[in-house]
Amino acid sequence: MLNGNTLLITAGPTWEAIDPVRGITNHSSGKMGYALARSAAELGAQVILVSGPVCLPPPKGMETIAVSSALDMYQAVHRQLQEHSVDVFIGVAAVADYRPADIQPQKIKKSSDALTLRLVKNPDIVASVAALEHRRPYTVGFAAETEHLEAYARGKLENKKLDMIIANDVSREGTGFGSDSNHALLITAEHTLDSGHVSKSELAHKILQHIEHELRR
């Protein structure tokens, strides 16, 4: 189905260092991104996976690039876009919106009852890919929300100029971060498809089928 297509996929969380032993991260396990990467390879695509720190073995049959921070992931994604003719970019990774402004070179010692960190905004990776004017791939984002699922996701679709967005309610029991199943909305400018409650591998196949259908159009 995806023979001849190159897919670039991000997965997992990012780790934003505070000092050599502490950092800011999130609950992303990487399972959804890895499921998409495996399914795409099984469907004949050439897959490049850029992964944040996860406890998952690298999928077989593809190049896996391990990164840590959001800046690392941003640089790795744009390096691959320069080096390869990428047909589809799928930003599954739960990239930290902010990072500490200053990383301390030594472990911060506990000295007072409060500690203030100054945070600065990270680059929006999926939006930066969607904004490319030269060799722009079909760009798919993910939206992890806890309320107003479709409305918030459609706002991101439009604001970031994405071709498709996959939205899931991470507050729903049995889906989202760390789970082996998910329930998502596959949203384009024209329509919304409800995946139903399915395994992440099943959802990956549905997403790729939907992308392939959109590419044919």
Side-chain angles (χ1 to χ4, degrees):
M1 185 172 74
L2 292 172
N3 283 327
N5 287 289
T6 298
L7 274 67
L8 176 59
I9 300 172
T10 64
T14 61
W15 171 269
E16 310 304 323
I18 296 171
D19 64 18
V21 299
R22 301 182 182 91
I24 300 169
T25 189
N26 58 62
H27 292 299
S28 175
S29 65
K31 289 180 179 180
M32 190 68 244
Y34 276 56
L36 269 164
R38 284 192 299 268
S39 292
E42 290 167 3
L43 292 170
Q46 178 184 343
V47 181
I48 304 165
L49 176 63
V50 178
S51 177
V54 298
C55 298
L56 299 170
K60 296 179 181 178
M62 69 190 67
E63 180 182 5
T64 301
I65 301 163
V67 298
S68 181
S69 70
L71 290 178
D72 293 338
M73 185 171 284
Y74 177 92
Q75 292 165 1
V77 163
H78 283 277
R79 188 180 310 117
Q80 294 305 310
L81 289 168
Q82 291 173 357
E83 294 176 358
H84 301 275
S85 180
V86 174
D87 300 291
V88 180
F89 173 74
I90 312 178
V92 192
V95 181
D97 293 324
Y98 295 90
R99 69 184 184 275
D102 301 298
I103 302 173
Q104 299 304 308
Q106 304 297 332
K107 179 184 175 183
I108 300 170
K109 296 300 182 183
K110 183 170 61 176
S111 59
S112 62
D113 292 335
L115 174 68
T116 300
L117 293 176
R118 188 170 71 89
L119 304 179
V120 294
K121 187 178 285 188
N122 276 321
D124 190 316
I125 296 172
V126 71
S128 73
V129 175
L132 291 173
E133 295 182 1
H134 179 59
R135 295 170 60 182
R136 178 194 184 277
Y138 186 88
T139 305
V140 182
F142 268 66
E145 303 290 351
T146 58
E147 60 179 349
H148 308 302
L149 184 61
E150 184 168 2
Y152 284 170
R154 280 205 170 274
K156 290 180 179 179
L157 179 81
E158 295 167 7
N159 293 336
K160 299 183 182 187
K161 297 179 172 56
L162 308 180
D163 298 297
M164 183 186 299
I165 194 163
I166 315 301
N168 63 297
D169 184 346
V170 293
S171 68
R172 181 181 292 184
E173 187 175 352
T175 66
F177 293 143
S179 172
D180 291 320
S181 60
N182 213 336
H183 189 150
L185 300 179
L186 285 58
I187 301 171
T188 64
E190 292 81 21
H191 56 263
T192 298
L193 175 67
D194 191 324
S195 74
H197 192 114
V198 294
S199 69
K200 287 186 173 175
S201 60
E202 289 176 286
L203 178 57
H205 195 74
K206 284 178 184 260
I207 292 168
L208 293 170
Q209 280 185 318
H210 205 40
I211 291 171
E212 194 267 343
H213 172 73
E214 291 295 313
L215 289 175
R216 285 206 315 267
R217 294 178 59 196

